[in-house]
PDB file of all heavy atoms in Angstrom:
ATOM      1  N   VAL A 153     -10.166 -47.067 -10.956  1.00  0.00           N
ATOM      2  CA  VAL A 153     -10.609 -46.766 -12.324  1.00  0.00           C
ATOM      3  C   VAL A 153     -11.323 -45.417 -12.372  1.00  0.00           C
ATOM      4  O   VAL A 153     -11.057 -44.589 -13.245  1.00  0.00           O
ATOM      5  CB  VAL A 153     -11.516 -47.896 -12.870  1.00  0.00           C
ATOM      6  CG1 VAL A 153     -12.142 -47.510 -14.194  1.00  0.00           C
ATOM      7  CG2 VAL A 153     -10.717 -49.189 -13.007  1.00  0.00           C
ATOM      8  N   GLY A 154     -12.223 -45.173 -11.423  1.00  0.00           N
ATOM      9  CA  GLY A 154     -12.943 -43.898 -11.386  1.00  0.00           C
ATOM     10  C   GLY A 154     -12.010 -42.718 -11.180  1.00  0.00           C
ATOM     11  O   GLY A 154     -12.157 -41.671 -11.812  1.00  0.00           O
ATOM     12  N   GLY A 155     -11.028 -42.879 -10.297  1.00  0.00           N
ATOM     13  CA  GLY A 155     -10.045 -41.822 -10.081  1.00  0.00           C
ATOM     14  C   GLY A 155      -9.228 -41.546 -11.338  1.00  0.00           C
ATOM     15  O   GLY A 155      -8.979 -40.395 -11.684  1.00  0.00           O
ATOM     16  N   ALA A 156      -8.835 -42.610 -12.030  1.00  0.00           N
ATOM     17  CA  ALA A 156      -8.063 -42.443 -13.273  1.00  0.00           C
ATOM     18  C   ALA A 156      -8.895 -41.746 -14.342  1.00  0.00           C
ATOM     19  O   ALA A 156      -8.393 -40.852 -15.041  1.00  0.00           O
ATOM     20  CB  ALA A 156      -7.572 -43.799 -13.769  1.00  0.00           C
ATOM     21  N   ILE A 157     -10.154 -42.122 -14.465  1.00  0.00           N
ATOM     22  CA  ILE A 157     -11.040 -41.471 -15.445  1.00  0.00           C
ATOM     23  C   ILE A 157     -11.186 -39.986 -15.109  1.00  0.00           C
ATOM     24  O   ILE A 157     -11.120 -39.120 -15.989  1.00  0.00           O
ATOM     25  CB  ILE A 157     -12.408 -42.174 -15.509  1.00  0.00           C
ATOM     26  CG1 ILE A 157     -12.251 -43.555 -16.157  1.00  0.00           C
ATOM     27  CG2 ILE A 157     -13.438 -41.330 -16.257  1.00  0.00           C
ATOM     28  CD1 ILE A 157     -13.482 -44.437 -16.051  1.00  0.00           C
ATOM     29  N   LEU A 158     -11.367 -39.675 -13.834  1.00  0.00           N
ATOM     30  CA  LEU A 158     -11.485 -38.272 -13.415  1.00  0.00           C
ATOM     31  C   LEU A 158     -10.232 -37.480 -13.794  1.00  0.00           C
ATOM     32  O   LEU A 158     -10.326 -36.366 -14.316  1.00  0.00           O
ATOM     33  CB  LEU A 158     -11.737 -38.185 -11.906  1.00  0.00           C
ATOM     34  CG  LEU A 158     -11.813 -36.780 -11.306  1.00  0.00           C
ATOM     35  CD1 LEU A 158     -12.898 -35.936 -11.964  1.00  0.00           C
ATOM     36  CD2 LEU A 158     -12.030 -36.869  -9.801  1.00  0.00           C
ATOM     37  N   LEU A 159      -9.053 -38.047 -13.582  1.00  0.00           N
ATOM     38  CA  LEU A 159      -7.812 -37.346 -13.916  1.00  0.00           C
ATOM     39  C   LEU A 159      -7.673 -37.128 -15.417  1.00  0.00           C
ATOM     40  O   LEU A 159      -7.214 -36.066 -15.851  1.00  0.00           O
ATOM     41  CB  LEU A 159      -6.603 -38.106 -13.375  1.00  0.00           C
ATOM     42  CG  LEU A 159      -6.532 -38.274 -11.854  1.00  0.00           C
ATOM     43  CD1 LEU A 159      -5.223 -38.936 -11.459  1.00  0.00           C
ATOM     44  CD2 LEU A 159      -6.732 -36.971 -11.122  1.00  0.00           C
ATOM     45  N   VAL A 160      -8.090 -38.109 -16.215  1.00  0.00           N
ATOM     46  CA  VAL A 160      -8.038 -37.951 -17.672  1.00  0.00           C
ATOM     47  C   VAL A 160      -8.981 -36.827 -18.102  1.00  0.00           C
ATOM     48  O   VAL A 160      -8.611 -35.964 -18.905  1.00  0.00           O
ATOM     49  CB  VAL A 160      -8.379 -39.273 -18.389  1.00  0.00           C
ATOM     50  CG1 VAL A 160      -8.622 -39.051 -19.875  1.00  0.00           C
ATOM     51  CG2 VAL A 160      -7.270 -40.301 -18.174  1.00  0.00           C
ATOM     52  N   VAL A 161     -10.197 -36.818 -17.570  1.00  0.00           N
ATOM     53  CA  VAL A 161     -11.169 -35.775 -17.918  1.00  0.00           C
ATOM     54  C   VAL A 161     -10.637 -34.398 -17.511  1.00  0.00           C
ATOM     55  O   VAL A 161     -10.719 -33.440 -18.282  1.00  0.00           O
ATOM     56  CB  VAL A 161     -12.548 -36.062 -17.265  1.00  0.00           C
ATOM     57  CG1 VAL A 161     -13.484 -34.874 -17.368  1.00  0.00           C
ATOM     58  CG2 VAL A 161     -13.181 -37.302 -17.888  1.00  0.00           C
ATOM     59  N   LEU A 162     -10.074 -34.296 -16.316  1.00  0.00           N
ATOM     60  CA  LEU A 162      -9.511 -33.020 -15.874  1.00  0.00           C
ATOM     61  C   LEU A 162      -8.390 -32.570 -16.810  1.00  0.00           C
ATOM     62  O   LEU A 162      -8.314 -31.391 -17.174  1.00  0.00           O
ATOM     63  CB  LEU A 162      -8.981 -33.139 -14.447  1.00  0.00           C
ATOM     64  CG  LEU A 162     -10.033 -33.285 -13.353  1.00  0.00           C
ATOM     65  CD1 LEU A 162      -9.384 -33.643 -12.027  1.00  0.00           C
ATOM     66  CD2 LEU A 162     -10.873 -32.030 -13.223  1.00  0.00           C
ATOM     67  N   SER A 163      -7.547 -33.483 -17.211  1.00  0.00           N
ATOM     68  CA  SER A 163      -6.437 -33.145 -18.116  1.00  0.00           C
ATOM     69  C   SER A 163      -6.958 -32.697 -19.476  1.00  0.00           C
ATOM     70  O   SER A 163      -6.480 -31.699 -20.025  1.00  0.00           O
ATOM     71  CB  SER A 163      -5.516 -34.351 -18.293  1.00  0.00           C
ATOM     72  OG  SER A 163      -4.873 -34.643 -17.085  1.00  0.00           O
ATOM     73  N   VAL A 164      -7.927 -33.420 -20.010  1.00  0.00           N
ATOM     74  CA  VAL A 164      -8.483 -33.085 -21.330  1.00  0.00           C
ATOM     75  C   VAL A 164      -9.092 -31.689 -21.321  1.00  0.00           C
ATOM     76  O   VAL A 164      -8.959 -30.932 -22.281  1.00  0.00           O
ATOM     77  CB  VAL A 164      -9.519 -34.144 -21.770  1.00  0.00           C
ATOM     78  CG1 VAL A 164     -10.351 -33.665 -22.937  1.00  0.00           C
ATOM     79  CG2 VAL A 164      -8.818 -35.454 -22.103  1.00  0.00           C
ATOM     80  N   PHE A 165      -9.746 -31.322 -20.224  1.00  0.00           N
ATOM     81  CA  PHE A 165     -10.401 -30.028 -20.151  1.00  0.00           C
ATOM     82  C   PHE A 165      -9.507 -28.917 -19.580  1.00  0.00           C
ATOM     83  O   PHE A 165      -9.969 -27.823 -19.284  1.00  0.00           O
ATOM     84  CB  PHE A 165     -11.711 -30.133 -19.369  1.00  0.00           C
ATOM     85  CG  PHE A 165     -12.788 -30.818 -20.162  1.00  0.00           C
ATOM     86  CD1 PHE A 165     -13.107 -32.146 -19.911  1.00  0.00           C
ATOM     87  CD2 PHE A 165     -13.442 -30.160 -21.188  1.00  0.00           C
ATOM     88  CE1 PHE A 165     -14.079 -32.786 -20.660  1.00  0.00           C
ATOM     89  CE2 PHE A 165     -14.413 -30.787 -21.935  1.00  0.00           C
ATOM     90  CZ  PHE A 165     -14.733 -32.112 -21.676  1.00  0.00           C
ATOM     91  N   GLY A 166      -8.210 -29.208 -19.431  1.00  0.00           N
ATOM     92  CA  GLY A 166      -7.258 -28.163 -19.092  1.00  0.00           C
ATOM     93  C   GLY A 166      -7.095 -27.851 -17.619  1.00  0.00           C
ATOM     94  O   GLY A 166      -6.630 -26.768 -17.268  1.00  0.00           O
ATOM     95  N   TYR A 167      -7.448 -28.769 -16.752  1.00  0.00           N
ATOM     96  CA  TYR A 167      -7.261 -28.545 -15.318  1.00  0.00           C
ATOM     97  C   TYR A 167      -5.992 -29.264 -14.872  1.00  0.00           C
ATOM     98  O   TYR A 167      -5.890 -30.479 -14.988  1.00  0.00           O
ATOM     99  CB  TYR A 167      -8.468 -29.057 -14.529  1.00  0.00           C
ATOM    100  CG  TYR A 167      -9.708 -28.236 -14.762  1.00  0.00           C
ATOM    101  CD1 TYR A 167     -10.605 -28.556 -15.771  1.00  0.00           C
ATOM    102  CD2 TYR A 167      -9.980 -27.128 -13.964  1.00  0.00           C
ATOM    103  CE1 TYR A 167     -11.734 -27.790 -15.992  1.00  0.00           C
ATOM    104  CE2 TYR A 167     -11.112 -26.360 -14.176  1.00  0.00           C
ATOM    105  CZ  TYR A 167     -11.982 -26.708 -15.192  1.00  0.00           C
ATOM    106  OH  TYR A 167     -13.105 -25.947 -15.406  1.00  0.00           O
TER     107      TYR A 167
END
Side-chain angles (χ1 to χ4, degrees):
V153 172
I157 290 170
L158 177 58
L159 298 185
V160 168
V161 168
L162 290 170
S163 293
V164 166
F165 286 102
Y167 291 91

